[in-house]
Amino acid sequence: MRIVRIIVVLSMVVCWAGAAESGGTNQDRKKPWNENQGERLYNGIVLPEVWPPNDIDPQNTAPMPVPYLESRPQVVPIDVGRQLFVDDFLIETTDLKRAYHRPKKFAGNPVLKPETELEQGYSKNWEAMAKGGLWWDPAENVFKMWYDAGWVNTICYATSNDGLTWNRPALDVKPGTNQALPADLHPDTWSVVLDTESKDPQQRYKMAIRLRTLYPPGLQKGGLSMTSPDGIHWTNRTTMGFAGDCSTMFYNPFRKKWVYSLRSQFRGRSRHYLETADFLAGAKWKPFDLSAQKRWMPGEPVVWAAVDRDDPQDRMLQLTPQLYSLNAVAYESIVLGAFDIWRGPENNVCNAMGLPKITEVNFAYSRDGFHWYRPDRRAHIPAERHDVWDRGYVRALSNLCCVRGDTLWFYYSAFQGDADRTYRIHSENGMYCHGATGVAFLRRDGFASMDAGETAGKLTTRPIRFTGSHMFVNVDASQGELRAEILDVAGQPIAPFTLDHCRSIHANSTLQQVGWADAEDLTALHGKTVRFRFTLQQGSLYAFWVSRDASGRSDGYVAGGGPGFTGPTDTVGRAALEAEAETGVGGNR
């Protein structure tokens, strides 16, 4: 018995030592989020001391838990960005009905299609697909796009003033063409981020690229992280840790972290996560177990995301879906995610038919940059599944969308395929053929609305705090009415911000000021804990926020940006609406 006790004690010591080395066990981290003592975020969420979490069970097919919704902050600061209704984070009580919305594809798609020799590719498969990124550059007042030109061929660069007509400037990388990638590199998947906050002008653009050799296309060559002053000439080549195909990266400005979204296979196609404050130094992560069967060790990416049991099968293919890719961007007060969901068929079937696999874009929402809330499992940007340019392989860009006045522009890429094998690629495979780029439109903040019919309904927020001075809403009450009041902690209206004093709103506006008689602004409530209560009849409420001034600026993030914006956040308010109106493209939507 004494020998047994010694063995048990030694085993416990070894376990404790291993836990200390790895930052604690999964069980150590399972405490209520209201007891967290880690980093405090802009929205009042406090993270666990150990971050990112490594307690995701790779075999659990239940939807990802979202702990900040189960244990919400007592008070939510709302100084950053428009406050969206994609979840219940801000809602205390309501009898309004929530509806989720999808973008509408542009009737004039595609806006970029293969036309040049580079875009035809070495195998004549015809591809001009903007997957890597599309950003508004406020320094030059122009849209910039990076796109795949030819399958596994190169990356090209285009610019546009209106987002619809794209110019291919002649560059010096390959003289006479718009190639923006050195000739010795051939891309698999990649991301480009315009880093307007970079202190080094030589690193204003960041690229993470997973490489392939020219032949054969499936040979894994690892990847590089690189920087550039202009998005054309790339230096500081830094070898990344292992990355499976479709690995990407994005920037989380709320926490000032670069995030590598790494392809793994713990539950079919799935994702591991790695974050770093230093884009180049952080690219050298340790090798990790793609199947997540081995114990996580410090320095390795952590298990992150996959499809779950709520993701529907394709009604025709009847295959278990998988997570093909995951991109994200900061939008207003949330991290907006795009889950590219694979529906099938498998590659060998697509090869035989010469048709693209079916992938579609599904939106996801996060307030901590790691945990995803996915309430609406429809395809937000679907594959058409018949012989048109976006028949299948629909993919989101790394920046997801741009903000154009009242509208969000979601660019996406897709393949038509070549069932007749008119163009041959990789053993007569036409699945990766006729790739192009299109765009779809959604109302600004229009992911979810809180709706009321003929009977008026109410929505009361949880306790909030702000330092702004002017309340704004994004609302469609053109056939009805919206009014608001401000309550104290006990739920009593604060004069003069009462319902009776509120000026009724009968408008359809993405930037509508809320005002009260006998109240010039909200300065008297600075720093106080209050609640907002909205009363709505025959209308839809999309967002609310308190602006620093009467311009309606939100100081939230604007994804890929757009005309009028001077940086990564909305510091201009109504001026962005005016700048977009000057582009003259409104009627083309």
Side-chain angles (χ1 to χ4, degrees), residues 16 27 33 124 170 188 199 207 240 261 303 341 445 566:
W16 289 334
Q27 187 62 36
W33 267 49
K124 305 298 182 185
D188 171 31
K199 296 179 181 179
M207 178 191 288
M240 296 191 305
S261 171
V303 170
I341 306 294
D445 311 329
T566 59

Side-chain angles (χ1 to χ4, degrees), residues 121-356:
Y122 70 92
S123 51
K124 305 298 182 185
N125 65 307
W126 297 75
E127 179 184 351
M129 299 177 64
K131 293 187 297 187
L134 191 158
W135 301 85
W136 171 260
D137 189 337
E140 300 180 30
N141 288 324
V142 69
F143 286 103
K144 298 181 176 182
M145 172 200 291
W146 292 259
Y147 65 95
D148 279 336
W151 179 251
V152 198
N153 187 26
T154 192
I155 295 171
C156 283
Y157 168 85
T159 62
S160 177
N161 294 317
D162 63 8
L164 298 176
T165 302
W166 290 90
N167 305 305
R168 298 167 170 87
L171 307 176
D172 60 0
V173 177
K174 183 177 181 180
T177 76
N178 61 332
Q179 181 168 324
L181 187 70
D184 62 320
L185 302 180
H186 297 281
D188 171 31
T189 47
W190 46 281
S191 305
V192 172
V193 173
L194 170 58
D195 183 7
T196 56
E197 297 179 348
S198 175
K199 296 179 181 179
D200 182 354
Q202 297 301 307
Q203 298 190 25
R204 192 164 183 259
Y205 295 86
K206 307 286 198 298
M207 178 191 288
I209 178 171
R210 195 266 193 180
L211 298 171
R212 285 185 175 181
T213 55
L214 202 57
Y215 300 101
L219 180 63
Q220 294 176 350
K221 295 290 289 183
L224 297 173
S225 290
M226 304 185 292
T227 62
S228 170
D230 55 12
I232 300 168
H233 304 94
W234 298 92
T235 59
N236 290 323
R237 293 189 182 187
T238 301
T239 301
M240 296 191 305
F242 172 77
D245 66 343
C246 297
S247 294
T248 55
M249 68 83 177
F250 64 91
Y251 183 58
N252 180 349
F254 296 113
R255 300 187 52 245
K256 301 194 180 302
K257 300 291 185 182
W258 294 94
V259 176
Y260 287 88
S261 171
L262 303 175
R263 164 79 170 271
S264 56
Q265 55 190 39
F266 59 83
R267 206 160 68 237
R269 297 175 176 92
S270 46
R271 291 278 130 173
H272 271 62
Y273 172 103
L274 183 130
E275 68 175 43
T276 175
D278 189 314
F279 174 68
L280 295 175
K284 301 178 181 180
W285 57 82
K286 292 183 178 180
F288 64 100
D289 177 19
L290 298 180
S291 63
Q293 297 298 309
K294 297 179 181 179
R295 185 166 179 262
W296 176 85
M297 297 299 292
E300 297 177 359
V302 300
V303 170
W304 190 21
V307 297
D308 57 53
R309 63 194 181 205
D310 286 355
D311 285 297
Q313 293 183 339
D314 183 89
R315 62 184 179 85
M316 296 293 293
L317 299 172
Q318 293 294 301
L319 296 173
T320 301
Q322 300 177 38
L323 179 54
Y324 203 85
S325 185
L326 199 174
N327 290 301
V329 73
Y331 175 72
E332 292 295 347
S333 58
I334 66 170
V335 178
L336 174 64
F339 280 51
D340 292 348
I341 306 294
W342 176 89
R343 310 287 184 191
E346 293 290 357
N347 284 356
N348 62 328
V349 177
C350 294
N351 291 349
M353 296 188 301
L355 298 179

Side-chain angles (χ1 to χ4, degrees), residues 439-457:
V439 64
F441 307 124
L442 181 71
R443 181 190 181 101
R444 186 171 179 180
D445 311 329
F447 304 99
S449 61
M450 303 301 295
D451 301 340
E454 294 183 359
T455 301

Side-chain angles (χ1 to χ4, degrees), residues 492-570:
Q492 297 300 310
I494 302 173
F497 308 102
T498 61
L499 196 65
D500 291 341
H501 280 71
C502 184
R503 301 185 183 96
S504 295
I505 294 172
H506 309 275
N508 182 4
S509 172
T510 62
L511 196 156
Q512 175 66 48
Q513 188 165 359
V514 181
W516 290 265
D518 303 322
E520 183 175 343
D521 57 32
L522 276 61
T523 304
L525 302 178
H526 278 189
K528 295 184 178 180
T529 300
V530 298
R531 301 176 192 266
F532 292 165
R533 177 181 290 158
F534 300 98
T535 299
L536 177 66
Q537 182 179 17
Q538 203 70 30
S540 299
L541 178 62
Y542 294 88
F544 71 93
W545 67 102
V546 179
S547 177
R548 294 185 185 182
D549 55 46
S551 74
R553 60 185 288 177
S554 70
D555 291 284
Y557 289 90
V558 291
F565 295 115
T566 59
T569 58
D570 175 11

